[in-house]
Amino acid sequence: MKEAEQQLIALLGKEHVRVHESMAQHTTFKTGGPADLFLLPHTAQEVAEAIRILRMYQIPYMVIGNGSNLLVCDGGIRGAVIQLSAMQQVEIQEDMLSVQCGALLSTAAAQAAQASLTGLEFAAGIPGTFGGAVVMNAGAYGGEMKDVLCSVEVLTEELEIVTLPVEVLELSYRHSIIPEKQYIVLGGTLRLQMGQQDTIYAKMAELAQQRREKQPLQYPSAGSTFKRPEGYFAGKLISDAGLKGKTIGDAQVSEKHAGFIVNMGHATAKDILDLIAYCQAEVEKQFGVRLETEIKIVGEV
């Protein structure tokens, strides 16, 4: 590990290679144990070369964006975490946005609005990055990434950089082929439409108000904890099961929206996992529906 660390420092710089980095600092849940190595590349070439070094030393790795859909277990992550948040450029040309993987969706939506481009308003309140949003076809308030995405640039398992049209990604509800192909999203292009700036800002303000009214934004969380079961709504099932406000440790089923599990202060990942399991068991017992997690759970218990 030490030799690999030295090579990674030579590649990325000492300040961009961290040892035993607490993942609580890099997830919106604000919990989770340390990663053995934490890497912050700034270019696609650095990503590819860092992975080549890790593979040479047989060090496992995972790639993250803003950590907004992630629960890291208390034992932390063995191997390396590669965070792509430094790659955050957004460029606009006519009705096209070119967005790097680490750019926040909220930033891309704000720049689109500033350019009087409509179609990305739904994404203004999503806390994740462009790369993560593409991987899971993120969406809200009737809009999804597949509605506006044209193409993506990915790093393949063979460490080649290729551009793929949106049609081959098989985007559907919270799904793409990117994880199964083991692609890493580096960036992509969005096609929007010219609109009236005042109307765009008004729509964004309306959606922001809906979020504030319906979602527990004052507490750390990873957004919707569970996927929407076919024919049901996860939050309603949990609420109907009498679980609103249910706590284990400092983890709570939000009293504002039962589809969210929140960190009330010092929740451990175990608190959250135990509460997830409790909700799943109660909903299945009462309604015969098995809730599937939308958040990604990683690391060692």
Side-chain angles (χ1 to χ4, degrees):
M1 181 79 78
K2 199 65 182 174
E3 286 184 22
E5 183 187 332
Q6 293 305 314
Q7 289 196 31
L8 289 163
I9 288 172
L11 172 68
L12 303 175
K14 190 171 180 60
E15 67 275 23
H16 300 135
V17 179
R18 304 173 189 173
V19 179
H20 304 309
E21 179 80 354
S22 169
M23 290 304 296
Q25 301 178 56
H26 303 287
T27 65
T28 56
F29 246 140
K30 302 300 180 190
T31 190
D36 292 340
L37 285 173
F38 187 84
L39 312 178
L40 284 162
H42 283 66
T43 67
Q45 289 71 28
E46 286 184 353
V47 176
E49 183 60 19
I51 289 173
R52 189 192 66 77
I53 292 168
L54 293 168
R55 286 180 177 176
M56 183 168 64
Y57 289 95
Q58 298 183 321
I59 297 171
Y61 61 89
M62 65 174 294
V63 178
I64 69 169
N66 194 43
S68 59
N69 196 47
L70 198 63
L71 176 61
V72 178
C73 294
D74 297 315
I77 297 173
R78 303 290 71 78
V81 172
I82 304 171
Q83 188 177 50
L84 302 182
S85 57
M87 299 168 61
Q88 53 185 254
Q89 192 170 359
V90 179
E91 294 182 349
I92 300 176
Q93 190 168 10
E94 296 181 349
D95 62 349
M96 300 291 291
L97 258 69
S98 295
V99 187
Q100 285 191 313
C101 54
L104 291 173
L105 275 189
S106 56
T107 299
Q111 292 195 28
Q114 194 171 16
S116 299
L117 292 173
T118 183
L120 202 55
E121 292 91 335
F122 75 90
I126 296 176
T129 59
F130 175 81
V134 171
V135 170
M136 65 178 296
N137 185 32
Y141 299 108
E144 294 178 295
M145 292 303 293
K146 70 180 179 63
D147 301 332
V148 292
L149 191 64
C150 288
S151 65
V152 293
E153 186 180 62
V154 301
L155 185 68
T156 69
E157 198 175 3
E158 294 74 36
L159 301 184
E160 296 176 344
I161 297 173
V162 300
T163 300
L164 303 172
V166 65
E167 291 79 15
V168 306
L169 300 179
E170 298 179 16
L171 299 181
S172 58
Y173 176 67
R174 303 299 180 262
H175 171 267
S176 74
I177 64 164
I178 290 167
E180 61 197 66
K181 296 287 188 182
Q182 298 189 320
Y183 293 151
I184 296 171
V185 176
L186 300 172
T189 58
L190 306 172
R191 185 181 297 279
L192 304 177
Q193 296 178 331
M194 293 303 299
Q196 294 295 320
Q197 194 175 75
D198 290 350
T199 304
I200 295 166
Y201 280 127
K203 181 65 173 176
M204 289 169 66
E206 177 191 340
L207 295 181
Q209 179 64 24
Q210 288 185 44
R211 282 183 180 274
R212 285 192 294 271
E213 290 174 355
K214 297 179 181 179
Q215 297 182 12
L217 302 180
Q218 69 271 42
Y219 297 112
S221 78
S224 297
T225 306
F226 301 100
K227 292 181 180 178
R228 185 176 66 235
E230 191 172 349
Y232 299 91
F233 292 98
K236 187 174 188 313
L237 287 169
I238 294 166
S239 182
D240 290 349
L243 299 179
K244 236 181 193 182
K246 168 69 179 176
T247 60
I248 293 180
D250 256 4
Q252 182 191 67
V253 175
S254 168
E255 294 178 331
K256 182 179 279 191
H257 190 316
F260 287 65
I261 289 177
V262 297
N263 180 352
M264 297 294 288
H266 301 286
T268 63
K270 185 179 186 305
D271 292 338
I272 296 166
L273 287 169
D274 287 349
L275 190 53
I276 286 171
Y278 188 88
C279 290
Q280 288 173 320
E282 281 298 307
V283 167
E284 188 164 22
K285 181 171 73 175
Q286 294 189 39
F287 306 110
V289 179
R290 181 66 179 175
L291 294 177
E292 182 183 349
T293 55
E294 183 171 308
I295 60 174
K296 185 177 180 183
I297 300 164
V298 300
E300 295 186 346
V301 180

